[in-house]
Amino acid sequence: LPLVIGLVLAIPLGWLASRYRRVYPGVINLAGLLYTLPSVALFVIMPSIIHTKILSPINVVVALTIYTVALLVRVIADALISVPAEVRSAAVAMGFTGPGRFLRVDLPIAVPVIVAGLRVAAASNVGLVSVGALIGVNQLGSLFTEGFTLDVGSIVLLGILLCILLALILDTTIVLTGRRLTTWQRRDASQLSSNANSSICA
């Protein structure tokens, strides 16, 4: 959930930073500062900010969303900036302008870079979510606190294995989704391969 919400929030912020270059340093620096916030402190102060109970899972979701946005804003901004100028010019010549060009040209080209950023954010979230157990939020990290309290290493090991499994599931889902959104890359690759084979045969 934090990955989805964070992506939705980071896309317009990344676009803003890429569109208005004077805004870029401020947005990127702010995102960097947000990511440096200690996770335990953020989990603790979140209830007083959003007026929830201290043990509410919403606190963890909001905190992880903040970290996701902080990670993705720069990735998205740089991905959009890297879209070739000639591609944009061709899109404008074909009648794509404003939001239409962004959604149908700029954003699809930026997808591979955004997917790479999402994979990092997913791994980071899996690592950070377990910290919520330190303030009593019952979730995957509870296996670590229970294992240390009871001095049972197998429980801690189970928690580690489940974290790895969750990270792998999220990573695979993101990669497969990215491939579905970039079918044009596979077509280009197969066309290049076909042209290369034709050249070799010639």
Side-chain angles (χ1 to χ4, degrees):
L1 187 60
L3 285 174
V4 175
I5 299 174
L7 178 62
V8 171
L9 295 175
I11 287 176
L13 290 173
W15 173 85
L16 184 69
S18 67
R19 179 69 177 80
Y20 302 100
R21 298 300 177 87
R22 282 184 285 187
V23 177
Y24 180 91
V27 173
I28 300 306
N29 290 336
L30 178 60
L33 287 174
L34 287 175
Y35 195 73
T36 61
L37 294 174
S39 55
V40 175
L42 190 58
F43 290 153
V44 170
I45 66 173
M46 194 56 65
S48 62
I49 297 175
I50 60 177
H51 304 292
T52 55
K53 294 182 179 179
I54 185 66
L55 299 182
S56 173
I58 296 176
N59 302 324
V60 178
V61 172
V62 173
L64 293 181
T65 299
I66 291 173
Y67 288 125
T68 301
V69 172
L71 275 173
L72 292 181
V73 166
R74 181 167 194 157
V75 170
I76 293 173
D78 291 345
L80 293 174
I81 290 172
S82 66
V83 175
E86 58 269 21
V87 173
R88 288 198 175 103
S89 299
V92 172
M94 294 175 65
F96 292 101
T97 57
R101 193 195 72 186
F102 172 74
L103 292 174
R104 300 184 65 180
V105 179
D106 294 355
L107 193 57
I109 292 176
V111 163
V113 179
I114 295 174
V115 165
L118 270 174
R119 295 176 71 182
V120 175
S124 175
N125 276 0
V126 172
L128 289 172
V129 71
S130 59
V131 180
L134 296 178
I135 60 173
V137 179
N138 188 25
Q139 34 83 8
L140 189 58
S142 300
L143 291 172
F144 299 132
T145 55
E146 290 177 10
F148 284 126
T149 301
L150 300 174
D151 195 21
V152 180
S154 59
I155 298 178
V156 177
L157 180 60
L158 175 61
I160 293 173
L161 293 176
L162 288 176
C163 283
I164 293 173
L165 177 62
L166 178 59
L168 289 174
I169 291 173
L170 288 173
D171 188 72
T172 303
T173 302
I174 292 168
V175 170
L176 293 177
T177 303
R179 288 179 180 174
R180 289 182 63 86
L181 294 175
T182 56
T183 53
W184 48 270
Q185 278 193 322
R186 293 198 295 275
R187 289 198 298 267
D188 289 347
S190 61
Q191 185 175 0
L192 285 172
S193 178
S194 177
N195 292 340
N197 290 334
S198 299
S199 299
I200 292 172
C201 291

